[in-house]
């Protein structure tokens, strides 16, 4: 679990889970955070940037898994507003 103790968010908790699926691993992340400015700031600025960051992360992990193992089953990032990034 990653917990922000100091930074731009009012709170940030990022939980990682690795699920054995018999021959592959499903990577799941659950992110809960609060931003200054509340839901309006989140909708206008933060959500888009977070989706970009986590979609980039998903691509990099997928590419690295494919290079070393030949295939990759992927995951999703779930944010506190119910939106998802990545693909499964």
């Amino acid at each position: 679990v990653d917990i922000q103790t100091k930074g731009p968010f009012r709170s940030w908790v990022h939980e990682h889970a690795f699920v054995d699926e018999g021959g592959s691993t499903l990577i799941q992340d659950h992110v809960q955070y609060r931003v200054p400015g509340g839901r309006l700031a989140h909708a206008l600025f933060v959500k888009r940037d977070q989706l970009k960051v986590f979609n980039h992360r998903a691509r990099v992990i997928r590419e690295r898994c494919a290079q070393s193992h030949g295939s990759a089953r992927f995951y999703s990032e779930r944010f506190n507003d119910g939106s998802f990034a990545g693909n499964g």
Side-chain angles (χ1 to χ4, degrees):
V1 176
D2 301 320
I3 299 173
Q4 174 192 279
T5 56
K6 186 176 182 181
F9 295 92
R10 287 186 185 214
S11 66
W12 174 274
V13 178
H14 180 186
E15 298 178 61
H16 310 268
F18 299 88
V19 181
D20 181 358
E21 294 194 326
S24 66
T25 300
L26 176 65
I27 303 169
Q28 295 180 317
D29 295 279
H30 182 199
V31 181
Q32 292 184 312
Y33 59 92
R34 291 182 42 204
V35 297
R39 291 178 188 230
L40 181 60
H42 179 262
L44 293 175
F45 308 108
V46 178
K47 181 178 177 178
R48 181 187 63 222
D49 290 341
Q50 291 301 316
L51 291 173
K52 279 185 189 177
V53 166
F54 282 104
N55 281 327
H56 172 75
R57 180 176 175 261
R59 266 192 314 280
V60 169
I61 292 172
R62 190 181 313 104
E63 289 168 4
R64 290 183 181 177
C65 287
Q67 288 172 359
S68 61
H69 302 293
S71 66
R73 166 113 170 34
F74 219 71
Y75 75 112
S76 63
E77 304 273 357
R78 187 177 73 193
F79 298 96
N80 50 310
D81 70 343
S83 62
F84 286 85
N87 57 13

